[in-house]
Amino acid sequence: MSEVEGVVEGETIGVWGRMVQSDLWYSFTHSPLAMISALFALVFILACLFAGFVAPHDPFNLASVSLFDSLLPPAWQDGGNISYLLGTDDQGRDVFSTILYGGRISLLVGFLSVAFAAVLGIAVGLVAGYAGGITDAIFMRIADIQLSFPAILIALLIDGVFRGLLPRGLHDEVAVYVLVLSIGLSFWVQYARTVRSSVMIERTKEYVQAGQVIGLPPGTILFRHILPNVLGPVLVIATIQLALAIITEATLSFLGVGVPPTQPSLGTLIRIGNDYLFSGEWWITIFPGIALVLLVLSINLLGDWLRDALNPKLR
Amino acid sequence: MILFIAKRAAQAVLVMLVVALIAFALFRYVGDPINNMVGQDTTFEQRQELRQTLGLNDPFFVQFARFVGHAVQGDFGQSYQLRQPVSELIAQRFPATFELSMVSALMALVIGIPMGVYTALNRKSISSRLFMTLSLVGISLPTFLIGILLILFFGVILRWLPTFGRGEVVQIGWWSTGLLTKSGLESLIMPAITLAIFQMTLIVRLVRAEMLEVLRTDYVKFARARGLKPRTVNFTIALKNTLVPVMTIIGLQVGSIIAFAIITESVFQWPGMGLLFIQAIHQVDIPIMAAYLMLIALIFVIINLIVDILYVVVDPRLRVSGK
Amino acid sequence: EPFHYAFQGDVQSLDPMGLNETFTIGYLGNIYEGLTHYDKDMKIEPGLATDWKQTGPDTWRFNLRKNVKFHGGQDFTAEDVVFSWKRSLTEGSDFKGYGQKIKDIKVIDDHTIDITTPEPNPIFPREVVYLYIMDKGWAEEHNATKATSPKAGDDNSTYAAQHANGTGPFELVSRQPDVKSTLKRFDGYWDKDIPTNVTDVTFTPISQDATRTAALISGELDMAWPIPLQDWNRLENAKGVKILHAPDARTIFLGMDQFRDELLYSSVKGKNPLKDKKVREAMAHAIDLKVIDQKIMRGAAEPAGELIGPQINGFVKSLNTPYEYDPEKSKKLLEEAGYPDGFELGMDCPNNRYVNDALICQAVAGLLARVGIRIDLNAQPKSKYFAKVSPQSGNDTSFYLLGWTPSTFDAHNALFNLVATFDTEKNQGQFNYGHYSNPKIDELTDKIVSETDQAKRQEMITEAMTLLKDDVGYLPIHQQPLSWGVRDGVSVAQRADDVIDLRDVVIEKAK
Amino acid sequence: MSVLLDIDGLKVVFESRHGDVTAARNVCLSIASGEILGVVGESGAGKSTIGNAAMGLLERPGKVAGGTVTLEGERIDGLPPEAMRRLRGAKISMIFQDPLTSLDPLRTIAEQLVTTMTTHLPLSEREARKRAVALMHEVGIPDPEARIDDYPHQFSGGMRQRVVIALALCAEPNVIIADEPTTALDVSIQAQILDLLRKLVRTKGAGMIIITHDMGVIAEIADRVAVMYRGEVVEAGPTRKILGDPDHDYTKSLISAVPRPDVKLDRFPLVEHIESAGSRRSLDLKTHWLGQKRDYGALDGPLLSVRDLEMTFRVGSMFGGGRRSVNAVDGVSFDIAAGETFGLVGESGSGKSTIARLVTGIYQPTGGAIVFAGTDLAGITRRRELNRHRRQMQMIFQDPYSSVNPRKKVGAIVAEPILFHKLAGSRAEVNRIVADLLDHVGLGAKVAGKYPHEFSGGQRQRISIARALATRPRFLICDEPTSALDVSIQAQVLNLLKDLQAELGLTMLFISHDLPVIRQMCDRVAVMRRGRIEEIAPTEDLFERPQNEYTRHLLKLMPKMTGAAA
Ligand SMILES: Nc1ncnc2c1ncn2[C@@H]1O[C@H](COP(=O)(O)OP(=O)(O)OP(=O)(O)O)[C@@H](O)[C@H]1O
Ligand SMILES: Nc1ncnc2c1ncn2[C@@H]1O[C@H](COP(=O)(O)OP(=O)(O)OP(=O)(O)O)[C@@H](O)[C@H]1O
Ligand SMILES: [Mg+2]
Ligand SMILES: [Mg+2]
């Protein structure tokens, strides 16, 4: 028959029940790739969050790190030590533990900066694309200005300002936020311009006019109606930029803005290991590299799935 | 049209002014140029003197005004470090960066767009899933690592390709090109790939995402109903419609390829502007940094202008100005 | 024979008075020459002067070499020496320091000059090694009579920064900053006895360590440096290349703020623990130089106890024994000093200046943490680092890492710059970022400068250095290694100042 | 007459996580050359689905689950894609229901026509273009030489529909499936198109399936009729028989619901056969939320007064030349009294929708005044003030496809105005109201959880109607509100509008080119042509004693359901 069972809104089936019944959950449970990715991402994120319990060593505690144990190969190789499963780096930090501890910083920086950039960029893109005219011109020229500065310089600027404004000693606490701010600031333009171009097309559609007729304020029309229709590319950019943010953080740390070298992030660890690729100490790069690749992979696959699942036409 | 471009040119000037302003506010945080300009035996007084001569002790807006005053006359100053006019330096370096960026942008587009279309058309096939997954590996590794791995493999182990530099170049007027010699082309391969990987991944995924939307539209369905060839439907109709939003990102990417080939250039010692700039940051060579940032601002303004014009060329709906 | 080599940085300027930086003057030493010259053991040998002698306490007579031609064909005469000296004092010059060592030059004849110095100077011939001689006529012709100024729009041209006309064994063919510079053998070079058989020289700067090493291994280079220490193994095992290493004349050390009443970066408030010798001693005993050498420097460094190395005139062997590694003693000393739980201390460190600089700092941080001194490390690129720690920003640091090579290869240089009390008037102690001060040492330093009796002079140097060591004024770490990678079949002389002199490069005929 | 297309026992299912939906079952249809088969039936009965299935264009999750399709004696279901492609357009072609989204927005009409022709016919580009111009002329596009290089968005809905028809016909197919080919057209064009289609079928010996719910069209053109109901063909036979003497209950009710062009009735004859779309409860407006009246201040004079309204669009490329102006609305004045239904008829592209958009404030007029409830809307600059007035107006959009947000569930679309204006107390109440509204427009409360793309065109139009009602408007603009609806739903909806009007004193601007509907609905009518009003008159006067030449022309062309049993 032409009628199918639909989910009737407002039925009292509880939050969990509603989630299990939702289309998203259905699509999720029918996509093995999404489930594997989610599982990996979840395990990794949890392991990072609870690094203090999971990791066998605390690589950020200088007193417990011994230079004597530096550059040990993974446990299964000659000269390996079972206590350092994946070997140690040049300062004697346990690579496995550092992946977890450093992963925590990387994830924080990655997620926060992408979220910051996305929120800022989407908002600007929506407004610029919808309002057009002078508003659009102003925002887009700001974007041009922004684009001219590489993340490195923005980071230097923000770091400089922060150092100037904040009392000494607070720097380390805010280091991560300096990173988030700088990376976020250098990323938002992509969202803004993408969203803007989609909005310019979307705003001519009749459903937008319908919203106007209902009397919805532009904000509501923008965020509730147009936004969902322009999110596809945004998700692509966001998931990819997550990787980029994590890597950028490593580059910035090298320039002396960002996390201190005594507390390496995942990206920093890879960068450190990069120096040892020729000399045969491959484990310092390869293991964090694999961790990062898997993390990025799983998040992107989740993103792919989510984007398709959120598009009702593709179900 | 002329009015439109004139308006944008005026905006460009404004953009560049602001870029310069921010740049000068920022230079204070890059470090101290003096230390790189003198040897260790130079006395404190001499250092102070030099600082004074260069006007580094002036308030930043005085420095800014001075810079703008000169820049208006086409004078971007002289490199602290290289003691050579900055405009000359940039003109020397521009061809290298330009060739590298264009080749890798081309690579990214030529591989990225068809791949995006392919993966959208065969959404569920194993091969497109595999490709989508593999393409991610490329972006989750930092550029410097990819570069080094390429060097290690093709340069050191196989010895197929040169590990650094630009090879032999041919001088055509002020332009130096590496595209006409064998060693020039060989040298180009690895940097271009390194630079293209990220852009390619992004383009593949964006094209795929947009393409999936467009393939579901009624006009694509109607085109099929008229028995148009799949090539026409997929490329002429669907891809063109896909490109409107994707164009933005491609434009931005081409811009950032040119602008921020920094890491690739320094890994491969590619003698382009990016290398010049990173060197300048290390040496706090303010005139180079300032001129470079202005140039990049100009490039982005131009690219965005082109993208905006392209929108209108590609999408007739945007040509209406009724409201 | 062609010779292709690479360094991590580029020649900064072709102007011989442009930048007093080791690599740049080293490179220019192949094109230009001074009156005297360092041989491969850093001994002074005749350059453009055939011989010299001190004719009074502050007067030196130099006999100039005859029949020397510049690359452009001009003859070398006493005029050129006077011109070059005067040029070194012009505004854009970075060699004023050398120029100021000369009070006047009297031209006796075309090939004889008398130089007077402002005060008696026992090491004067060393001071003129890098005062390269330019041709007066050439400079006048190209409006290059003043050193290139970094400022645009000045009336002096930048000609000399991009062209060169010296008397050295090689002449400039082409130069593209940061890309490539090429030299070719100068046929008319006066010294026909130099060992080299190199005809064409290509120099490329390659800033990335890995790329440089790769280019060497892949055979694209005949020589490259510095080679990261961790890659030594790889190079030794690779076919066709070898590592050349020796201790650098540069000593790496840690400095401490010893003048503020309260440290800028520390948990201790109201007093400065680093003023307390016990604390400094505690730190000295807590840093295990051996493990730093073994693990960070891969055994290639020379742990040091003195601020200057054996290559430096005035070095005292007995003082070079490092402070003993004894963490227990450290803890005890800290307790005695009133810090049983240690304290927090901010540390500044460059991360692209010296061999493994940031790693050393991290290791120091780790070692100090074990006795309770918790280091908050701020590792930055050198331009930011120096901007922060140097006097211009009021020595904004509490604890820092620095390296020093006395440019005259004489102990006085180190004492004057690093140890003497900070004093802008007298220009002394400019690199004494922690303002260590010992009046006795100041007194000795003043005397050393003009003492011509070598034995007496050495005595005074030894005394000053001993005082410094007793005070624990600095914490020396090591002499970093020179680390050159050379293709088999190429022989070079590794000079202690990390300079390659092309005169000594010999390439085996192609196999 | 040889059988051109034969559909036998066709079954189409849409797979879904909640179980399969059978959109068509055991459908048997066939057409011979020179024959026109009309397919009628309720909206959502599966008419379009059958067309898609025959063309081999069903998309996931839909699939043919049984039956055969035979084209000129050859089985074409399950043909390899490339072989099927060669047939499409050349042998069998389809005119899509939705003209607004069927055209590639980025390519000119000429390009689209030329590619299609050169794909199937051995023509050079120049020849193809020549034929394209001729074809454009044939389908009734004025000034085809100039307009062929326009882009789709520069055409009005009706014009686009003609372009779609031209595109479907340009490669001269033998079998044409026309899915509501004239819904968006005014009567004169409709007559032209029907003429065109008929001529094509008769002279070329082609066969055609015409899907429509306009009984007038059926009567005019079809030789035979098949009636579909809930995925099944319930009755088929010669047109005269079906229209005159239907057997099946549904057909009977359908016929009775056809609006009468000749007499004005108080209400539409209610469809007896109400089992479709779940239980369609009728609402008691006296007690229901929808009926709760809101007080507006006393009003003397008309509720809406439009004076000398002008709207000029500037069209053309930004690269200099080619810029031209379109005077879509050119000095229009009319008044609408409170409680009145004012009709607006006129040819496609005459500016009807533009007027609607001007009144609702979607467009800013380039000239003239719009006075609503005594206030000149153009004079108000404060948004809130403006909104207070605008809130009393609602609009039902012409294009059911783009007027609902594809990313929102139906329930949310309808609930939005209620929630936004806080018209109901609790979330539960909102849900109840939404359910009632959906029920009332004949969709059934259960569709709240679906997305718009799961609906047929008529079903989507009803979503739009439910949304418009959800603000309890005082003034309702209906831009072709029922053009995509089958007559039974149309009757239902129009009755609802009439009820609302009676109960609430709703005022309506009713845009349509369906003259019978206009006659049934409106108190006064304005006839528009080329942005101007030709004539304004009370409905009965207009229909009985048209003054204007153009009006008379329109009335003459009005399709009549000859032999309708009523
Ligand atoms: N993609 C889809 N997914 C699920 N159900 C669908 C889909 N497309 C159509 N349907 C269902 O199939 C049935 C038949 O739809 P169809 O479009 O054929 O109706 P129709 O008879 O053409 O209606 P109308 O006259 O309103 O256009 C409808 O009930 C509709 O809900
Ligand atoms: N946004 C626009 N830009 C340019 N021209 C437009 C625009 N909207 C409408 N027009 C033009 O204005 C004229 C009137 O269009 P409108 O949509 O009001 O016609 P209509 O009477 O509603 O026709 P139909 O019955 O086909 O819907 C047409 O010629 C159309 O091409
Ligand atoms: Mg339909
Ligand atoms: Mg209309």
Side-chain angles (χ1 to χ4, degrees), chain B residues 185-202:
Chain B
L185 288 173
E186 279 173 354
S187 308
L188 191 59
I189 297 175
M190 289 200 289
I193 291 177
T194 310
L195 199 52
I197 279 184
F198 179 79
Q199 322 296 337
M200 202 182 73
T201 309
L202 193 65

Side-chain angles (χ1 to χ4, degrees), chain D residues 157 352-353 398 479-480:
Chain D
K352 305 183 296 290
S353 301
Q398 182 173 7
D479 192 357
E480 316 265 8

Side-chain angles (χ1 to χ4, degrees), chain A residues 2, chain D residues 14 23 42-49 61 97 180 454 456-459:
Chain A
S2 61
Chain D
F14 285 94
E42 67 167 351
S43 153
K47 305 184 295 290
S48 303
T49 305
Q97 188 169 356
E180 322 240 3
E454 293 175 62
S456 74
Q459 290 170 323

Side-chain angles (χ1 to χ4, degrees), chain C residues 303-481:
Chain C
E306 200 183 351
L307 219 44
I308 50 173
Q311 303 94 329
I312 308 300
N313 188 26
F315 170 75
V316 187
K317 189 150 193 286
S318 59
L319 289 175
N320 203 28
T321 323
Y323 297 99
E324 193 191 352
Y325 176 58
D326 188 348
E328 287 315 309
K329 189 170 172 190
S330 284
K331 282 185 199 152
K332 214 183 296 144
L333 283 165
L334 280 176
E335 207 172 318
E336 284 171 26
Y339 307 100
D341 303 320
F343 54 90
E344 272 169 35
L345 181 61
M347 177 176 190
D348 288 289
C349 187
N351 62 17
N352 60 353
R353 180 67 189 91
Y354 311 111
V355 179
N356 292 345
D357 41 15
L359 291 181
I360 296 168
C361 291
Q362 283 184 57
V364 166
L367 289 162
L368 287 177
R370 306 191 148 216
V371 299
I373 301 177
R374 297 173 297 281
I375 295 296
D376 180 2
L377 181 59
N378 181 12
Q380 304 184 90
K382 59 183 179 205
S383 44
K384 289 188 78 180
Y385 165 80
F386 282 112
K388 182 167 188 281
V389 301
S390 66
Q392 136 216 0
S393 30
N395 298 118
D396 179 16
T397 180
S398 298
F399 184 39
Y400 61 94
L401 176 135
L402 196 68
W404 191 262
T405 311
S407 52
T408 52
F409 272 69
D410 186 89
H412 173 259
N413 177 290
L415 287 171
F416 183 75
N417 283 303
L418 299 173
V419 187
T421 306
F422 176 82
D423 187 341
T424 16
E425 295 281 286
K426 290 160 75 183
N427 254 325
Q428 70 177 20
Q430 293 306 305
F431 293 83
N432 183 356
Y433 296 154
H435 297 204
Y436 163 79
S437 175
N438 184 333
K440 187 83 199 22
I441 296 183
D442 291 347
E443 216 172 279
L444 286 165
T445 307
D446 278 346
K447 282 192 202 146
I448 293 167
V449 71
S450 49
E451 179 55 63
T452 42
D453 182 336
Q454 290 300 338
K456 253 196 189 151
R457 195 164 180 271
Q458 181 61 51
E459 217 169 87
M460 287 191 283
I461 291 173
T462 310
E463 193 186 343
M465 287 297 184
T466 312
L467 283 169
L468 175 67
K469 183 146 193 182
D470 287 347
D471 275 350
V472 201
Y474 281 102
L475 308 173
I477 294 192
H478 54 228
Q479 283 178 270
Q480 65 180 29

